[in-house]
Amino acid sequence: MAHKDTSVGTLGAVVKDNETGELLLLSNNHVFANCNRAMPGDIIIQPCKADGGNIKADAFGRLERFIPLKISNSNHSGILESFGCKTRDYITLFLGLWNTEYFRTKYGNKVDAAVVIPKDKSEISFHIPEIGPVKGVSEPATGMQVQKYGRSTGLTMGAVKYTHMDIRVNYPDGTSVWLVDQIVTSKMSEFGDSGALLLDMQNRALGLLCGGSEKVSVFSPIQTVLELLNISLVI
């Protein structure tokens, strides 16, 4: 499931709008809102383009809202230039400046998240394949055993390596973002799994998959996602 102009992604969870009570579908900004390029009302398709879906036959819902991403370039020269620095100063200066609250607030993203209004609520499943229903929300801890189900890799298990980690994520379209206070696990994902829900082994939600590498997977904390979008998980 993904935006009509996005190749691939995963539906994370069914949620409820805290103000209206309307059922919504949760995934990433870069999956549902095409890295800020989308507009509310844009069509979401299932299956997604990479799986043969098309806008005429496979419209599943419409984009409702998203948390805008603060887009970064690859070397952050714009950030450095604002301090009179040159790109070559990146290693010695930027890493120290990044730890200041100003930089984390101005250039960091707390979440990569968006919600969609489904076209037909009767088609919604409240169970995550091979996992079952979500049974609440919890906080991650280093070493915790975790699981997720994604479009590309299905059910995978791993362990939390870090919490409150600041990390840069590069998306397939070339977009680069800095994410702050993220959950980092052992490698649990591949391209196409973005948007999958991270859960502990009691099926309590921990995070929303937003990126990864050959060594780790990165998740936005679910409690922050819920607060910023003003939604609640359906459990």
Side-chain angles (χ1 to χ4, degrees), residues 2-6 31-34 36-45 55 59-66 115-117:
H3 184 273
K4 62 182 178 65
D5 297 326
T6 303
V31 172
F32 279 168
N34 198 19
N36 299 346
R37 300 181 185 93
M39 296 289 290
D42 277 5
I43 292 176
I44 307 301
I45 59 174
I55 192 171
F60 194 85
R62 291 187 176 274
L63 178 65
E64 207 283 332
R65 61 183 182 269
F66 58 93
V115 287
V116 160
I117 300 173

Side-chain angles (χ1 to χ4, degrees), residues 167-185:
I167 192 166
R168 191 176 77 199
V169 172
N170 300 312
Y171 296 132
D173 68 350
T175 300
S176 178
V177 299
W178 277 98
L179 293 159
V180 301
D181 290 328
Q182 302 296 288
I183 305 163
V184 178
T185 70

Side-chain angles (χ1 to χ4, degrees), residues 130-206:
E130 299 188 48
I131 292 177
V134 180
K135 295 183 178 179
V137 175
S138 189
E139 292 290 330
T142 303
M144 177 185 287
Q145 297 299 300
V146 289
Q147 58 183 334
K148 76 102 191 67
Y149 186 91
R151 169 263 182 195
S152 299
T153 59
L155 177 64
T156 58
M157 299 182 185
V160 175
K161 295 173 70 71
Y162 308 103
T163 61
H164 304 288
M165 173 66 74
D166 296 352
I167 192 166
R168 191 176 77 199
V169 172
N170 300 312
Y171 296 132
D173 68 350
T175 300
S176 178
V177 299
W178 277 98
L179 293 159
V180 301
D181 290 328
Q182 302 296 288
I183 305 163
V184 178
T185 70
S186 53
K187 180 177 172 59
M188 299 175 64
S189 60
E190 295 285 356
F191 174 68
D193 288 330
S194 289
L197 196 66
L198 180 71
L199 305 104
D200 64 16
M201 303 314 290
Q202 288 74 50
N203 287 13
R204 295 175 298 190
L206 303 170

Side-chain angles (χ1 to χ4, degrees), residues 1 67 92 106 108 126 158 179:
M1 178 181 293
I67 305 301
T92 56
K106 186 172 180 62
F126 296 93
L179 293 159

Side-chain angles (χ1 to χ4, degrees), residues 70 98 100-109 180:
K70 299 171 185 177
W98 176 254
T100 66
E101 192 59 31
Y102 170 81
F103 272 80
R104 296 180 81 250
T105 300
K106 186 172 180 62
Y107 297 104
N109 296 276
V180 301

Side-chain angles (χ1 to χ4, degrees), residues 55-148:
I55 192 171
K56 292 183 178 180
D58 300 303
F60 194 85
R62 291 187 176 274
L63 178 65
E64 207 283 332
R65 61 183 182 269
F66 58 93
I67 305 301
L69 289 169
K70 299 171 185 177
I71 306 298
S72 304
N73 59 31
S74 60
N75 61 20
H76 303 276
S77 59
I79 300 173
L80 296 172
E81 286 166 4
S82 68
F83 280 79
C85 302
K86 297 181 179 180
T87 302
R88 65 174 177 268
D89 298 319
Y90 170 67
I91 294 176
T92 56
L93 294 180
F94 180 73
L95 293 180
L97 291 169
W98 176 254
N99 290 322
T100 66
E101 192 59 31
Y102 170 81
F103 272 80
R104 296 180 81 250
T105 300
K106 186 172 180 62
Y107 297 104
N109 296 276
K110 293 183 178 180
V111 302
D112 177 355
V115 287
V116 160
I117 300 173
K119 180 179 178 181
D120 185 352
K121 294 181 176 60
S122 67
E123 296 184 6
I124 297 174
S125 173
F126 296 93
H127 287 224
I128 298 174
E130 299 188 48
I131 292 177
V134 180
K135 295 183 178 179
V137 175
S138 189
E139 292 290 330
T142 303
M144 177 185 287
Q145 297 299 300
V146 289
Q147 58 183 334
K148 76 102 191 67

